[in-house]
Amino acid sequence: MTQSKMTQPNELSFGKQVASIYAPTMIYETGIGAVTPVIPLMALELHASPAIAAFIVALLGIGQVVGDIPAGYLATKLGDRKAMLYGAVVTLILLVTCAFTPNWVIFALSIFILGMVNALFVLARQAYLTEVTPPLRRSLSLSILGGMTRIGSLIGPFVGGAIMSIFAISVAGKREDWLPGAFWAAVVLTCITFIVVYAVPEIEVPKTVKKVKQVTVKTSYILRKNLKMFATLGIAIVLVGAVRQTSNTALPLWAAHIGLNASMTSYIYGLSGLLDALLFYPAGKMMDKYGRLWVAIPSMLILGGSILFIPLTHGIWSMAIVSLIMGLGNSIGAGMIMTISADMAPENYRAQFLAMCRLFGDTGAAAGPLLIAAGAGIGFLSGGIWLLGGCGLLSALIMGLTLEKYSIHANQRTRLRHGMTKQGHPIQ
């Protein structure tokens, strides 16, 4: 639905976007990235079995899935900026608890709640940016948001690793990394996040702009109102979430399957992650200029197609090439689902609608690694990888067939159909 000039949200300047959204996003995600690789190690340190340690790792994602719908409700009630502030405070409490926890049960519960709080923080940023950014610059703004998340996740493990190494302790004459150091690094980064968000005042809406009254609606109402969309495009969102998690599972497992050592696997994984964090800006510009399909379809075709080639690799160079192509496909899709969701979100219950879309994506992200694990469990790892690659191609097909029905900005043709120019400007 096209907004008139009188109902356009007040736009934040890029400098204010950096201060209020992008900087705290990168800082917060750096903290989360610092602790993520340490979660299984900390669990083992607390005398959890390897199976329980693996389950505790999964609790972070499970908590995010469980927290998506409550996050939409809280973001609507509190407001997006307050939700970020409260989310940072609760994150601080949980991180300190993890650093001091005496047993793995409390640790597991803290990680689960941390996932839920992360859902609130992520949704609040997305909803806030959607509110203050006009549709013609929405893709770029949300792609940068996705890029900041990925950059934080990329550098976070290095920050945590550095702190753990610097403060390594001696045990029985042997130096061992100080595992709680990663959590204390995240504590500092989360404090900085809170200060940055608190210091930047909330956007002031001019009196000439009509404020849309935010209402709280039931989840069942959102599902009924958008049933056709969730039954079609929603499936594509689930598949995208699943495919994007492949690099976290398929690459390391296949590298081990063909006999690559841990350091080589880390280098390959790092290459994919590096490229993954680099191309969000041109991708966002392209979505704004030509429409969402110009990025959504190529992203999933490249990512899904490259995944299909993983089982055909037999050495470090072939693995490196495939991982780089995967990083390319994932990188150009940064912010893609957030933008599509924002295009469709009703103004008066935007946060709750975005939360529902995130629930679909996060459910796919949680289920994707299970497909790989199932394939590995029955001795057919390549089959699980091929199945997930096929999911990527299927998501591209579904978006190609359905996105024009639900997003005015799917491409230039849909813009012309709704009385706009090809660039998305209203025709005077």
Side-chain angles (χ1 to χ4, degrees):
M1 186 178 295
T2 308
Q3 291 174 308
S4 67
K5 290 182 180 179
M6 291 298 291
T7 59
Q8 282 280 6
N10 186 29
E11 182 185 359
L12 281 178
S13 67
F14 182 72
K16 287 185 176 180
Q17 286 184 358
V18 170
S20 63
I21 301 291
Y22 301 139
T25 294
M26 190 177 71
I27 297 168
Y28 183 86
E29 291 300 333
T30 300
I32 299 297
V35 303
T36 301
V38 184
I39 291 173
L41 303 177
M42 192 74 172
L44 292 172
E45 186 79 8
L46 295 169
H47 308 296
S49 68
I52 291 175
F55 177 69
I56 293 174
V57 174
L59 282 176
L60 188 65
I62 294 171
Q64 190 153 322
V65 172
V66 174
D68 279 327
I69 299 302
Y73 176 82
L74 287 173
T76 301
K77 285 292 186 180
L78 298 174
D80 306 318
R81 180 170 172 270
K82 283 185 178 179
M84 286 189 280
L85 291 172
Y86 289 142
V89 171
V90 178
T91 299
L92 276 173
I93 296 171
L94 293 169
L95 290 171
V96 173
T97 301
C98 287
F100 282 116
T101 184
N103 59 67
W104 64 262
V105 176
I106 296 175
F107 182 71
L109 181 61
S110 299
I111 294 300
F112 175 72
I113 300 174
L114 183 63
M116 295 182 67
V117 177
N118 193 39
L120 173 63
F121 200 92
V122 168
L123 178 70
R125 293 173 305 192
Q126 181 186 355
Y128 186 51
L129 196 55
T130 301
E131 181 73 29
V132 299
T133 306
L136 295 185
R137 282 193 280 275
R138 180 177 290 157
S139 294
L140 179 59
S141 296
L142 291 173
S143 291
I144 295 175
L145 177 63
M148 293 301 101
T149 299
R150 296 175 186 204
I151 290 173
S153 299
L154 180 65
I155 65 178
F158 294 101
V159 174
I163 298 299
M164 288 188 294
S165 297
I166 292 172
F167 295 97
I169 58 177
S170 295
V171 178
K174 181 182 177 181
R175 284 179 63 81
E176 292 186 2
D177 288 339
W178 183 46
L179 296 181
F183 291 91
W184 286 114
V187 165
V188 173
L189 290 166
T190 306
C191 286
I192 296 173
T193 301
F194 179 90
I195 293 170
V196 172
V197 175
Y198 184 80
V200 178
E202 192 164 8
I203 183 72
E204 292 184 5
V205 180
K207 294 180 180 179
T208 56
V209 176
K210 181 182 177 181
K211 280 287 283 182
V212 177
K213 184 179 180 181
Q214 296 290 312
V215 298
T216 302
V217 299
K218 293 182 178 181
T219 301
S220 58
Y221 172 82
I222 299 175
L223 284 172
R224 287 198 310 270
K225 192 77 172 176
N226 304 277
L227 184 59
K228 288 185 178 180
M229 188 279 291
F230 284 123
T232 52
L233 188 58
I235 301 301
I237 295 175
V238 173
L239 295 175
V240 170
V243 173
R244 282 178 167 174
Q245 287 298 312
T246 303
S247 59
N248 295 335
T249 309
L251 280 179
L253 286 178
W254 189 257
H257 178 73
I258 62 177
L260 297 184
N261 60 35
S263 60
M264 289 296 102
T265 302
S266 296
Y267 294 144
I268 292 172
Y269 186 85
L271 279 174
S272 179
L274 181 62
L275 189 58
D276 190 11
L278 291 180
L279 299 178
F280 56 86
Y281 188 87
K285 294 284 285 186
M286 180 173 288
M287 278 194 285
D288 280 332
K289 186 173 183 180
Y290 298 107
R292 315 324 187 199
L293 282 173
W294 282 84
V295 163
I297 292 178
S299 172
M300 286 299 104
L301 289 178
I302 294 171
L303 184 54
S306 59
I307 290 170
L308 295 177
F309 281 93
I310 292 178
L312 305 181
T313 61
H314 300 286
I316 184 171
W317 290 110
S318 56
M319 279 285 291
I321 291 171
V322 169
S323 70
L324 284 172
I325 298 173
M326 288 174 61
L328 170 66
N330 206 21
S331 183
I332 63 175
M336 172 182 75
I337 297 301
M338 287 193 293
T339 301
I340 293 171
S341 302
D343 287 343
M344 301 183 296
E347 289 184 335
N348 57 340
Y349 56 92
R350 176 180 284 121
Q352 288 182 273
F353 181 89
L354 294 177
M356 181 63 69
C357 292
R358 292 203 67 88
L359 176 64
F360 275 66
D362 289 342
T363 299
L370 297 180
L371 293 177
I372 305 295
I378 63 175
F380 193 35
L381 177 59
S382 57
I385 295 174
W386 280 328
L387 178 59
L388 212 52
C391 289
L393 302 183
L394 180 59
S395 68
L397 176 63
I398 295 174
M399 286 190 286
L401 294 175
T402 62
L403 187 57
E404 289 188 6
K405 299 177 183 178
Y406 303 110
S407 174
I408 294 174
H409 302 284
N411 53 34
Q412 294 181 335
R413 183 169 60 248
T414 55
R415 287 171 173 171
L416 291 172
R417 192 184 303 155
H418 287 84
M420 298 180 178
T421 66
K422 288 184 177 181
Q423 288 69 42
H425 298 287
I427 296 177
Q428 301 297 329

